[in-house]
Amino acid sequence: MSATPQKNRATRRVLAAAAGLATVGALVAAMPAGAHDRGHGHGHGHKPRTVDVQLLSFNDLHGNLEPPAGSAGNVSETQPDGTVKAIPAGGVEYLATSLRTARKGNPYSVTAAGGDMVGASPLLSGLFHDEPTIEALNGLDLDVTAVGNHEFDEGAAELARLQNGGCHPVEGCYEKGKKFKGADFPYLAANVTKEKTGRPLLKPYTVWKKNGVKIGFIGVTLEGTPDIVTANGVKGLKFHDEVETINKYARELDRKGVKSIVALIHEGGAPASTSYNYDCDSPGAGDGISGPIVDIAKGITPKVDALVTGHTHQAYVCTVPDPSGQPRMVTSASSFGKLYTDTTLTYDRRTKDIVRTSVKSANHVVTRDQAKATDMTRLIDRWNKLAAPIASKPQGWISADINGRGSTAPEKPLGNVIADAQLEGLAPADKGGAEVAFMNPGGIRADLVHKASGSEGDGVVTYGEAFTVQPFTNMMNVVDLTGAQLVTALQQQVSGSNEASPKILQISKGLTYTLDLTKSGADRVVADTIKLNGEAIDPARTYRVAMNEFLAGGGDGFAALGEGANKLVGASDLDLFNAYLAAHSTAAAPLAPPATDRITVIQ
């Protein structure tokens, strides 16, 4: 990996910062009271003993260059009177402005990300294998990111291309005379090694330096990445324990004299409130944060000063005690560029470490009422011109928003539409003879929004909008499963690896059952209520079941779905979705949001 762009950019930044810093006095004035009044007269000249480093961070952008549409583009904000308000947020034109505004007056500023910058992206980025997003991140002056699971969607070779540049091996270069340059920031993958050599796939860490201030960044993705990515995406790779990996490289950095360390972890948690301004350290019962990141944070060596996390698309700024019992900052900035986190790390020049007691952090909304960054507008316009012939094609009509990503219910209206589309497309005997279809909830990436995204008119679903809902273009499979395996699969939604955070499959019409959330584990799926077309599931009978190749490979903890026999490979999920929209809607008779009455939920 070439270090040149990094060096050039670091130099540019230092010069720019120097220009904005007429005197050391200006730096001292920018520091909190008491932070700079130690250390004078101890051989340090006029350099203050401590300096505040601004860490700006975000996560899970998923190629959302344009503001996400519908409810998926809102963040929740709790008002002083306790009511919750939805604020439209996100879009790189606004994210760029937010970050640039935040950096003003902060000569020591570093920008880091927690993974899933690309993958599952809307058409504007996905159609071009996410080159537009890497270009936008270069323009945002991102300094470093961890890899997330979605960075592996197209495999290790494609991830290496995003890092190092070069045109796509199949589709070539998208713009005449322009070669894709790659990321001018490092992607870190400390816990991902090549099976053959045991060596790290990408750099495990990087050190950000400025005027003698050094901060090490270690980046990891969740150890369970192979469970949530198609087998081809992680072929030849091994994923290791997050805590052991971070602790190993923290020791290495420490030996090299780097005492200030930030971990970028593509794994997260769930705060007790979905409002971005929730006080995560509230002492009330049930307050705080739960999920995998809590145990990870508790296990990471005290050498690490702050954790930037992601993956769960939640917003939080929490402290979780490190192994020595000291509080340590753990942050996440929702998703899709709707928030950024601003953390102050006070760096002690004598110890070369962060003064942990003075670490401050807060999430900020990337509002859409600020000026757009004109360079990002130009970038979006340029790629939109290339995408337009495909993106703007109408696929169907809807009468109102059909919520998918924006729905918090176990059964989502858009989930029903997608599962029905899969069943309908694969029910004919020559297409697989499917009797039931399952869709993984995480594969629904957006809502279908009634309001026009361009000039197509309200209610028209364009190819670009359909692609944004189902961007993976997974091939569909139809397999034989016994009734017993079907029941087990439904129980795996709420047990095993999905017990703490259930993954409720979206199901096609005709399948019904009761989900009793007052129970625990597999019992939450009430087995004797599972029926297909009004008849109880027969454990001994064989059923033809449609699902995407990810689920058919046992992804998302659905081992039972991976046991299917007599596999037939059908069309892609997106093709079936578009065919269903075309068959079930016209301008005069648009598709209405379906009822959500397949899963009876007991709370």
Side-chain angles (χ1 to χ4, degrees):
M1 192 190 314
S2 148
T4 353
Q6 287 295 112
K7 276 189 183 146
N8 291 350
R9 205 163 100 214
T11 318
R12 282 206 309 276
R13 279 227 188 131
V14 172
L15 292 172
L21 239 195
T23 61
V24 174
L27 165 62
V28 176
M31 295 185 50
H36 56 264
D37 54 15
R38 304 183 292 276
H40 290 299
H42 292 282
H44 287 276
H46 285 294
K47 252 186 188 171
R49 164 130 178 213
T50 62
V51 57
D52 279 354
V53 177
Q54 177 189 53
L55 170 62
L56 299 175
S57 57
F58 57 97
N59 51 278
D60 296 275
L61 180 65
H62 290 288
N64 279 265
L65 301 180
E66 295 175 294
S71 54
N74 292 336
V75 291
S76 299
E77 180 182 76
T78 301
Q79 305 301 300
D81 65 1
T83 58
V84 176
K85 184 177 168 189
I87 301 174
V92 294
E93 294 159 297
Y94 303 113
L95 179 61
T97 299
S98 287
L99 294 175
R100 288 163 187 171
T101 305
R103 288 178 190 134
K104 282 179 185 155
N106 289 286
Y108 291 81
S109 183
V110 56
T111 304
D116 277 7
M117 294 295 99
V118 300
S121 307
L123 187 86
L124 176 61
S125 187
L127 190 61
F128 306 107
H129 295 275
D130 284 311
E131 290 180 20
T133 297
I134 297 296
E135 202 179 288
L137 292 170
N138 289 343
L140 287 176
D141 283 337
L142 182 63
D143 289 294
V144 57
T145 183
V147 293
N149 52 290
H150 282 282
E151 262 80 20
F152 294 93
D153 283 348
E154 295 187 45
E158 176 61 5
L159 173 55
R161 186 182 79 88
L162 291 181
Q163 177 70 82
N164 301 320
C167 296
H168 193 268
V170 179
E171 293 174 29
C173 302
Y174 294 112
E175 294 178 287
K176 215 177 169 178
K178 258 193 182 176
K179 189 180 161 199
F180 173 58
K181 291 193 176 79
D184 67 6
F185 51 89
Y187 256 115
L188 305 181
N191 65 332
V192 187
T193 56
K194 297 173 189 171
E195 267 174 5
K196 277 185 182 158
T197 62
R199 293 176 66 78
L201 175 70
L202 295 168
K203 284 170 68 164
Y205 60 78
T206 190
V207 181
W208 178 86
K209 298 174 185 153
K210 181 159 180 194
N211 298 347
V213 173
K214 282 194 250 182
I215 297 180
F217 288 88
I218 304 168
V220 299
T221 183
L222 68 155
E223 188 185 1
T225 290
D227 305 328
I228 52 176
V229 172
T230 56
N232 279 345
V234 293
K235 209 173 173 181
L237 302 176
K238 236 179 144 167
F239 292 76
H240 304 269
D241 183 83
E242 304 94 340
V243 174
E244 286 169 22
T245 304
I246 291 168
N247 289 353
K248 169 184 154 184
Y249 287 113
R251 284 193 298 273
E252 193 172 307
L253 281 166
D254 190 54
R255 281 198 304 273
K256 289 181 170 180
V258 179
K259 308 293 183 187
S260 298
I261 302 172
V262 175
L264 308 174
I265 308 171
H266 191 70
E267 178 59 293
S273 160
T274 54
S275 290
Y276 83 89
N277 57 341
Y278 163 65
D279 178 4
C280 198
D281 294 336
S282 311
D287 269 332
I289 185 173
S290 58
I293 199 62
V294 179
D295 286 339
I296 290 172
K298 285 177 178 169
I300 289 174
T301 168
K303 291 184 199 299
V304 173
D305 299 294
L307 315 183
V308 171
T309 73
H311 187 55
T312 55
H313 291 203
Q314 302 292 314
Y316 48 83
V317 172
C318 307
T319 55
V320 177
D322 70 14
S324 69
Q326 295 305 305
R328 176 169 54 194
M329 200 62 82
V330 179
T331 67
S332 171
S334 182
S335 64
F336 300 171
K338 293 183 285 191
L339 296 177
Y340 71 92
T341 314
D342 188 338
T343 303
T344 303
L345 301 171
T346 301
Y347 182 90
D348 185 323
R349 289 182 187 274
R350 196 178 298 166
T351 64
K352 299 182 182 161
D353 208 347
I354 300 298
V355 184
R356 282 260 296 274
T357 48
S358 59
V359 175
K360 294 186 291 293
S361 190
N363 274 326
H364 301 277
V365 182
V366 175
T367 57
R368 297 185 201 164
D369 56 5
Q370 57 187 323
K372 293 177 179 183
T374 52
D375 57 331
M376 293 296 152
T377 306
R378 282 195 303 273
L379 182 149
I380 288 170
D381 289 348
R382 207 179 86 233
W383 288 102
N384 260 333
K385 273 197 188 78
L386 287 174
I390 295 171
S392 57
K393 273 192 185 143
Q395 304 297 313
W397 290 262
I398 54 173
S399 64
D401 287 3
I402 304 181
N403 282 350
R405 194 81 194 175
S407 164
T408 52
E411 182 185 348
K412 305 171 193 308
L414 191 50
N416 288 359
V417 173
I418 291 169
D420 287 353
Q422 295 176 355
L423 177 63
E424 185 169 298
L426 301 170
D430 62 334
K431 297 279 195 278
E435 300 166 79
V436 64
F438 290 135
M439 174 64 193
N440 55 310
I444 305 168
R445 305 304 300 184
D447 301 334
L448 269 190
V449 179
H450 185 262
K451 190 176 180 342
S453 59
S455 57
E456 76 275 10
D458 289 352
V460 179
V461 180
T462 63
Y463 185 86
E465 290 164 339
F467 183 99
T468 298
V469 168
Q470 293 213 274
F472 298 107
T473 10
N474 272 319
M475 300 315 287
M476 291 300 299
N477 292 181
V478 186
V479 298
D480 284 351
L481 288 172
T482 64
Q485 287 169 320
L486 266 185
V487 172
T488 302
L490 290 172
Q491 290 172 330
Q492 284 170 345
Q493 302 176 108
V494 289
S495 61
S497 60
N498 294 330
E499 177 150 8
S501 182
K503 290 195 172 79
I504 305 303
L505 294 165
Q506 304 301 289
I507 55 178
S508 54
K509 63 177 181 233
L511 187 64
T512 54
Y513 70 92
T514 297
L515 184 66
D516 187 347
L517 297 175
T518 64
K519 295 182 172 160
S520 62
D523 290 342
R524 287 185 272 192
V525 171
V526 186
D528 60 10
T529 65
I530 305 170
K531 291 179 179 169
L532 183 59
N533 302 323
E535 284 184 21
I537 293 285
D538 177 353
R541 194 196 133 190
T542 297
Y543 295 85
R544 292 292 282 164
V545 184
M547 64 192 96
N548 59 41
E549 59 194 335
F550 168 65
L551 281 177
D556 266 355
F558 291 101
L561 296 181
E563 294 164 5
N566 297 323
K567 177 165 83 175
L568 182 137
V569 178
S572 77
D573 50 9
L574 181 61
D575 286 347
L576 292 179
F577 184 50
N578 283 331
Y580 185 86
L581 289 170
H584 291 271
S585 68
T586 62
L591 182 70
T596 47
D597 53 6
R598 299 168 191 183
I599 305 171
T600 303
V601 183
I602 299 170
Q603 300 275 18

